[in-house]
Amino acid sequence: MKNVASFIAVVLFSAIGYAQNGPKIEFAAPDNTIDYGKISKTDNGVRSFEFTNTGDAPLLIIGAESTVSSIVVTKPAAAVMPGKKGKIDVKYNMAAGPIRKTITVETNAVNYPDGRVALKIKGEVL
């Protein structure tokens, strides 16, 4: 009987976690990754991570940055309202070689731990 009560408690707490209120961010890119593929140095290097606020409160993109200077990140300045879409633009400096970079996005989204989301770009500049 004690095991049944424990099981019910676990199910209840899990359900509460999934029913969080607040802003939620959902990216269109599979696995939050954009694949540049094999591209020429003449490409402008700009790609966009499109997202939707699937929550019930305004979504704030507090910060978006890369640890390398070869990437310039542009984020929305205003809050993204529930049900609305937004985008984060990434411009990669087209140096020849493989692309394997991560951009850290800080938000007030409740569906990611501490609101931090890792976005990735990959590909190869020929």
Side-chain angles (χ1 to χ4, degrees):
M1 191 65 167
K2 193 174 188 179
N3 288 340
V4 172
S6 296
F7 176 75
I8 292 172
V10 168
V11 170
L12 274 174
F13 283 114
S14 296
I16 290 169
Y18 285 110
Q20 292 174 329
N21 289 328
K24 295 179 183 174
I25 191 168
E26 297 292 335
F27 284 91
D31 299 322
N32 297 348
T33 302
I34 289 180
D35 188 348
Y36 279 68
K38 293 185 180 209
I39 55 174
S40 163
K41 289 180 82 169
T42 59
D43 188 297
N44 69 5
V46 177
R47 302 294 186 274
S48 296
F49 284 94
E50 296 178 356
F51 63 87
T52 303
N53 178 358
T54 59
D56 59 5
L59 173 69
L60 299 173
I61 306 297
I62 300 161
E65 57 188 37
S66 174
T67 56
V68 295
S69 62
S70 60
I71 298 175
V72 177
V73 182
T74 307
K75 66 177 186 63
V80 177
M81 294 294 143
K84 299 295 181 185
K85 295 180 184 258
K87 68 178 182 168
I88 296 170
D89 292 326
V90 176
K91 180 173 180 12
Y92 181 72
N93 181 1
M94 303 304 282
I99 304 170
R100 300 278 182 275
K101 306 295 180 198
T102 301
I103 297 99
T104 302
V105 179
E106 294 183 51
T107 72
N108 65 336
V110 297
N111 60 327
Y112 280 91
D114 298 324
R116 290 179 162 228
V117 183
L119 303 178
K120 296 179 181 169
I121 59 172
K122 65 181 185 176
E124 183 178 2
V125 180
L126 304 174

